[in-house]
Amino acid sequence: MAWTKYQLFLAGLMLVTGSINTLSAKWADNFVAQGCGGSQAHSFQHPFLQAVGMFLGEFSCLAAFYLLQCRAAGHPDTSADPQQPFNPLLFLPPALCDMTGTSIMYVALNMTSASSFQMLRGAVIIFTGLFSVAFLGRRLVLSQWLGILATIAGLVVVGLADLLSKHDSQHKLSEVITGDLLIIMAQIIVSIQMVLEEKFVYKHNVHPLRAVGTEGLFGFVILSLLLVPMYYIPAGSFSGNPRGTLEDVLDAFCQVGRQPLIAVALLGNISSIAFFNFAGISVTKELSATTRMVLDSLRTIVIWALSLALGWEAFHPLQILGFLILLTGTALYNGLHRPLLARLSRGRPLAEEGEHERLLGGSRTAINDAS
């Protein structure tokens, strides 16, 4: 069935904003500018401030939700599922996981390439599958176990490509290894977030935009408050600011003042988060979960291609192999092979509605899977 113009717009919006999200964060990391007090020029390494910006973008989804509510008030839809009352504090534990995982990933992005960052996030399948068995009592089918094994193999290949690639002064080998390990560690926390959302949040039938916005509100407020003690906590080699602390917001603002393009990159990150969440939710609703996963894979290709074109990283053929293996693992775990096999065996397409339900039932993504 041919896509409508609106569906094409949503797919394009998801692909573009999802790519901008990672690329704008990496673009900000690549800037070098003086800090406060005439300090020596240094890289813009403020991962926790960037994470605050990401949560601000998620928080803006609440505004989108209430705008849709106002619009729906004038055009009531009796077929829509009623919104059940819920305690907003249900979103606090997932928000804490999201806050921790996102902060770790922004730290890691300072240490490794944007394409490796995007590919290694595929490790979430491994831990989500294992945690769903341990804590949700779910039984994984053979294809899902094969998907997990393929994902592990893909991670090994991508990691090997990072080890064998040429490393410049900005990304030393030790930093790349640390960054890759931090990304995988963050996926463990993201997997815990998914399990918490599955167990406590989804049963309340909360609108996805409201869920994203509520978690964004918690993350924005809590992490903003934590920036104060971070200003005084020494971080040693993990610090990217002249004072050697965990985060120095004043230094970040001084760098933005001396290099306004950093502000453009940060605003691109914040706005892309909001639009990416809206587009992703709309694509799942208007098209299917399969389409959303395919677009997410295309996002990795776009990020990789642009990073190479901009000279942010060097090409290594092993990355192609690693990406293909990771893509196979994702497809197997989420059951994307079933419609293809059914089409080949029956000679006719499957209805996407049943496929959509199986994908969501078999493996949910995080409510705010946007970074």
Side-chain angles (χ1 to χ4, degrees):
M1 188 176 72
W3 286 8
T4 65
K5 291 182 179 179
Y6 179 61
Q7 290 171 336
L8 286 171
F9 168 74
L10 289 175
L13 183 65
M14 179 182 170
L15 181 61
V16 171
T17 55
S19 302
I20 290 174
N21 175 235
T22 299
L23 290 171
S24 60
K26 191 62 183 178
W27 186 32
D29 294 343
N30 288 338
F31 279 109
V32 176
Q34 284 186 330
C36 298
S39 62
Q40 187 176 0
H42 54 280
S43 299
F44 184 84
Q45 295 187 17
H46 298 280
F48 297 100
L49 180 64
Q50 287 178 296
V52 169
M54 191 212 75
F55 283 115
L56 180 59
E58 289 184 0
F59 180 30
S60 65
C61 288
L62 265 184
F65 167 74
Y66 286 115
L67 286 174
L68 290 176
Q69 286 290 97
C70 293
R71 181 183 177 186
H75 304 83
D77 183 7
T78 56
S79 64
D81 294 332
Q83 291 290 303
Q84 301 174 2
F86 71 99
N87 186 350
L89 290 177
L90 282 173
F91 291 96
L92 181 57
L96 291 174
C97 291
D98 190 20
M99 181 185 72
T100 307
T102 299
S103 299
I104 292 174
M105 282 192 281
Y106 275 119
V107 171
L109 187 57
N110 282 312
M111 301 179 175
T112 190
S113 63
S115 63
S116 294
F117 169 83
Q118 196 67 33
M119 291 182 195
L120 291 173
R121 290 178 62 204
V124 71
I125 286 177
I126 302 170
F127 305 110
T128 302
L130 296 178
F131 289 162
S132 66
V133 171
F135 301 109
L136 298 178
R138 182 168 295 152
R139 295 184 63 182
L140 301 183
V141 297
L142 177 61
S143 62
Q144 290 177 313
W145 286 113
L146 291 175
I148 289 175
L149 292 176
T151 301
I152 294 173
L155 293 174
V156 171
V157 174
V158 171
L160 188 61
D162 281 343
L163 289 175
L164 298 178
S165 296
K166 295 179 180 179
H167 303 286
D168 52 25
S169 57
Q170 184 180 4
H171 293 135
K172 298 177 182 177
L173 178 59
S174 59
E175 290 183 349
V176 170
I177 295 173
T178 303
D180 289 354
L181 292 176
L182 284 175
I183 295 169
I184 295 174
M185 184 190 304
Q187 303 319 301
I188 300 176
I189 301 172
V190 172
S191 300
I192 296 173
Q193 175 193 348
M194 291 183 179
V195 171
L196 290 172
E197 290 173 347
E198 173 85 10
K199 195 169 183 67
F200 300 111
V201 176
Y202 281 113
K203 62 183 179 183
H204 291 278
N205 192 29
V206 183
H207 192 284
L209 283 176
R210 189 178 188 182
V212 172
T214 306
E215 287 191 12
L217 171 61
F218 281 124
F220 176 73
V221 172
I222 295 172
L223 194 54
S224 296
L225 293 174
L226 288 176
L227 290 178
V228 176
M230 286 180 183
Y231 183 80
Y232 300 99
I233 299 174
S237 59
F238 277 97
S239 174
N241 58 75
R243 294 178 61 251
T245 56
L246 201 56
E247 183 59 280
D248 188 342
V249 179
L250 297 180
D251 179 69
F253 289 150
C254 289
Q255 287 188 290
V256 171
R258 288 178 170 83
Q259 177 50 273
L261 284 178
I262 299 177
V264 176
L266 296 178
L267 289 174
N269 195 318
I270 294 170
S271 58
S272 65
I273 283 287
F275 284 107
F276 177 72
N277 275 292
F278 171 76
I281 291 166
S282 301
V283 164
T284 302
K285 180 181 178 181
E286 296 287 335
L287 296 166
S288 71
T290 304
T291 306
R292 183 173 181 174
M293 281 179 242
V294 170
L295 290 172
D296 208 41
S297 299
L298 288 175
R299 176 167 68 125
T300 303
I301 297 175
V302 171
I303 291 170
W304 187 17
L306 288 176
S307 296
L308 291 172
L310 293 170
W312 290 356
E313 59 184 274
F315 173 77
H316 198 289
L318 272 181
Q319 277 196 313
I320 298 178
L321 177 61
F323 173 70
L324 292 176
I325 297 174
L326 286 171
L327 193 60
T328 302
T330 301
L332 286 172
Y333 185 85
N334 291 289
L336 303 192
H337 62 291
R338 294 173 192 161
L340 179 60
L341 292 177
R343 186 176 300 181
L344 291 174
S345 61
R346 297 182 185 181
R348 59 183 179 87
L350 273 182
E352 283 199 345
E353 182 179 354
E355 170 195 350
H356 168 86
E357 292 298 328
R358 283 197 306 274
L359 287 170
L360 291 181
S363 171
R364 295 186 187 270
T365 55
I367 284 177
N368 50 349
D369 184 23
S371 57

